[in-house]
Amino acid sequence: MSTGIDKTGIKIGMWLFLYSEILLFGGLFVLYAAYFYKYPEFFSEGGKELNRVIGAVNTVVLLVSSFTVAASITAVQRKAKKQAIGLLIFSIFCGVVFLVNKYFEWGAKFHHDIYPNSETLVSGEVGLNIFFGLYYVITGLHGLHVIIGMILLSISLVLVMAGKVTESKYSMLENAGLYWHLVDLIWIFVFPLFYLVL
Amino acid sequence: MDSQKNNHILSYTTLALVLGLLLVLTGVTVGVSYIDLGFFNVPVALAIACTKVTFVLLFFMHLRYEGPIINFSFIGTISFLLIMIGFIFFDVAFR
Amino acid sequence: MIKTESFYDTPAPAGLTGIKAWLLTHDHKRLALMYMWAILFWFVIAMMFGLLLRTELMSQGRTIMGPEVYNSLFTLHGVIMIFLFVIPAIPAIFGNFFLPIQLGTDDVFFPRLNLFSWYLFMFGGVFALISLFTGEGFPDTGWTFYVPFSVEANSNVSVTVMAAFILGMSSMLTGLNFITTFHRMRDKNMGLMQIPLFTWSLYATAWVQILATPVISITLVLVVVERLFSIGLFEPDKGGDPILYQHLFWMYSHPAVYIMILPGMGVISEIIPVFSRKSIFGYKAIVWSSMGIAVAGSLVWAHHMYTSGMSDVSVFVFSLLTFLVAIPSAVKVFSWIATMHKGSIEMTPPLLLALIFIYLFSVGGLTGLVLGAVGTDIHVHDTHFVVSHFHFVMFGGTGFAFFAALHFWWPKMFGIMYEFKNAYIGAVLTAIGFLFHYVPMFILGLQGMPRRYYDYLPKYETGNFLAGFGGYLLCLGILIMFGNLFMSFKRRIPAPSDPWGATTLEWTVPSPPPVHNFVKKPQIKEFPYDFSEVGKREKNGEKSRKIL
Ligand code: HEM
Ligand SMILES: [Cu+2]
């Protein structure tokens, strides 16, 4: 059917993809639930060792970037190209900030000999080993998604600049945005589950 | 085909209000974590997370303005995930 | 009839020539054929491996290979059959070809994504091949990749597991495409209850593909992560729980058996009414049972784990739920039989194959209940009884549905008819071989012969010999069946657009279809299985097809 582009259809396709992403993380949350039930006290002990402030800062960073991405769509719809570009650049910058924070956070943990298969974890309590194991796997996979999201946003940014994304045709930006929000969604759960368990 | 109102434009103010709310909720959840509620810390933290996620979905992700296909399938997906997490407890909780 | 250019003569996108017209095509029909050749290739390879395994077991002790080779071979057989044949076969070939046509449209919603899925499929296959010839050799873990063995084994588990990961992605993207097409490209005049049942079954399957596949993806990723970093998530020494691996694995792999069987059921629902010249019985019940299977099938995964050491409560719950799943399957079987009741049945190869399907699938489903009941399962778990059960459903079911689909749609896909007599011979021989092959395994299983064993006690020799003999018959039958189909390329007897007197949309377009499928606007019938016109035509003495 060559009668124009079916934006709703494209969006449905994107949502279907997001479902698969949700369940990809879902598998890990299944493990989290089961192990949390098994080792509640070690999960709260492990949680106290994570830096709540960095976690909270990262949450804020992602929330703000989610906002700016949503706003950039509004900007495109209102034909405010400059604003849209600014908002997107800021969002990508937020992604960088998030990753830098993550880098320091992981680095500090590595420094304290807390990383997969490290001496401390292997010889310590098994509950803690599982907690940090899950922590690395889930935040690692999440970090990977942040990177993919930033790539998608950058592509959208280039397209906006080139005038390929306009108020009548912005599916690429919209889908990149959806992906970015998904990354945010996951983090909204990761944050309390790892940093705030008491 | 249906000319759905998929061109809905959210104003900056609405988005900013949502962001404000999300930041407040983040503050609340961090704050609550310093208070020892015993067992209730986890349900409270999860409830707040669910609220936040709902707002992101409804506004940032436009779920409020989508047609029934996306809405129903989203609920289906979440139910599927909850079933997986829930049913695993038939095993781990009774071992 | 006006002569139209078939899709073979019109590249899409236009301007591509030669091999590029295939390798870069967006045309769902060309992609379907490309899938077909790849999948047939894998099927034949895995069939050979199966035959080797059975030959080894025909007599006690070492016959043609050593135990290590045997273990790798059954893993290879399982991985190829499951991920490269049974799961993709019907959706990727017939789904790609006919779903858009049955919906009255010209292609799937995301044609380029469709091409990408094909490349993922090929790439996954290549990965599987690479894992054969590099590193420490092909894994001997079985297709289930259970921990701790899959984490500790020296063999090339990581590469094989990544191959399965990529293949899963390909299957998921195909499902994504189908759902979007179903909702957005369907002819405007086609209501939900006017959609052919094959397309409905693919729709239900697609949901399972999207929701369940990611779970296996992450599980397989975890196996690789464990191999690389030894976190210990499944290792008791480090606090992990190996049973959770099994949960995650079956959360996908049980729904996956419905990814395998639902499209097959859809094929049968198309074939039975056509050759009974009678509207399908219980159209709505079949639609709902498809969706019901998709939902209920996601709730029963732990019936594979009764003996794993999980809690008694979950043994009880999952056994109960397993029994519920059998209901929608039975609804379908009864609907097919009721459709044939008092129909005017015309025997053709597709119908014969469909009948064999109903018979074999029913046996498979009923033995599933034997396994679903805890008491009996504990006795036969991990024995040849299970092997026989799943071959009845996957081979007797999906496999025969695949053969039936080939014979049913061959004239449409290639525009030529095949010889009937040889098709009958092939089908009957395959069915007889099948029974000889798998019935002894039920008995062996009940007597206690474990699966995945290289050698056995003397008392099992007769059964194993019979099974091996049946295996050879089976392969011979398949050889004849395929040989006959391929001979049609030589004889080139042209097929009319509707050789069977069928009613769904794909039979209103030329054989093979033109690149945009429809020459004129499709006429959507009130009900897809309305045979009154076909009946009128035939009463006037007009035969759809010359008797072959
Ligand atoms: C009619 C409903 C069915 C029921 C109640 C059922 C039940 C079961 C049960 C309880 C097992 C586990 C046996 C054991 O390991 O001890 C099993 C194994 C299996 N079933 Fe079914 N089944 C059904 C239909 C199917 C279908 C339609 C398929 C595929 C098309 C299928 C494929 C398999 C496979 C592949 C295995 C073995 C997996 C392995 O361990 O390697 N089943 N079935
Ligand atoms: Cu099962």
Side-chain angles (χ1 to χ4, degrees), chain A:
Chain A
M1 257 172 272
S2 47
T3 48
I5 305 161
D6 176 5
K7 277 186 273 183
T8 314
I10 297 177
K11 221 187 309 177
I12 291 177
M14 187 63 197
W15 273 97
L16 293 173
F17 182 69
L18 294 188
Y19 299 159
S20 77
E21 291 279 357
I22 291 176
L23 284 156
L24 190 78
F25 281 94
L28 294 175
F29 285 127
V30 167
L31 285 186
Y32 182 95
Y35 285 131
F36 183 50
Y37 182 84
K38 199 169 175 190
Y39 305 113
E41 64 279 25
F42 295 112
F43 271 51
S44 78
E45 194 183 324
K48 286 197 188 94
E49 283 181 37
L50 293 179
N51 191 329
R52 234 181 286 188
V53 176
I54 294 196
V57 168
N58 265 348
T59 310
V60 172
V61 167
L62 277 192
L63 285 175
V64 170
S65 73
S66 247
F67 161 76
T68 50
V69 166
S72 78
I73 294 176
T74 303
V76 166
Q77 285 168 329
R78 291 182 176 166
K79 301 185 206 167
K81 190 169 157 185
K82 285 234 177 66
Q83 277 177 17
I85 292 175
L87 286 164
L88 278 176
I89 292 179
F90 181 77
S91 316
I92 298 168
F93 174 71
C94 285
V96 176
V97 172
F98 179 91
L99 288 177
V100 169
N101 272 340
K102 201 83 253 148
Y103 172 78
F104 282 117
E105 207 185 351
W106 275 32
K109 284 276 156 305
F110 271 65
H111 194 71
H112 289 108
D113 197 38
I114 296 179
Y115 54 89
N117 212 16
S118 71
E119 197 44 46
T120 319
L121 285 184
V122 170
S123 54
E125 288 288 351
V126 291
L128 277 180
N129 178 46
I130 293 294
F131 177 82
F132 282 108
L134 280 173
Y135 166 77
Y136 277 110
V137 172
I138 292 184
T139 54
L141 189 66
H142 180 263
L144 200 65
H145 280 74
V146 172
I147 295 174
I148 300 174
M150 283 163 60
I151 294 174
L152 290 178
L153 286 180
S154 310
I155 296 175
S156 313
L157 174 66
V158 172
L159 290 178
V160 172
M161 289 200 216
K164 293 250 171 63
V165 165
T166 59
E167 76 282 355
S168 58
K169 182 166 166 265
Y170 53 87
S171 286
M172 174 66 208
L173 174 61
E174 198 171 29
N175 286 344
L178 283 174
Y179 194 87
W180 190 252
H181 296 310
L182 180 88
V183 172
D184 193 14
L185 286 191
I186 308 278
W187 184 258
I188 291 180
F189 278 107
V190 171
F191 174 54
L193 287 179
F194 282 99
Y195 292 79
L196 306 180
V197 273
L198 279 176

Side-chain angles (χ1 to χ4, degrees), chain C residues 182-196:
Chain C
F182 180 97
H183 283 298
R184 300 305 296 181
M185 305 271 284
R186 197 168 70 231
D187 190 281
K188 286 177 214 62
N189 299 319
M190 189 184 280
L192 282 180
M193 288 299 141
Q194 290 161 320
I195 298 170

Side-chain angles (χ1 to χ4, degrees), chain B residues 25-94:
Chain B
L25 284 172
T26 308
V28 172
T29 191
V30 173
V32 168
S33 77
Y34 284 97
I35 311 167
D36 190 2
L37 300 175
F39 168 77
F40 285 102
N41 272 107
V42 180
V44 167
L46 281 181
I48 295 176
C50 289
T51 320
K52 284 164 74 179
V53 161
T54 311
F55 276 99
V56 173
L57 283 165
L58 287 181
F59 293 96
F60 288 176
M61 298 176 87
H62 289 236
L63 207 52
R64 233 188 118 190
Y65 311 100
E66 300 296 354
I69 299 169
I70 295 184
N71 283 331
F72 281 124
S73 57
F74 181 78
I75 294 171
T77 306
I78 298 304
S79 322
F80 180 63
L81 178 57
L82 290 181
I83 285 171
M84 289 198 316
I85 296 180
F87 277 29
I88 203 116
F89 279 88
F90 285 125
D91 179 13
V92 288
F94 295 96

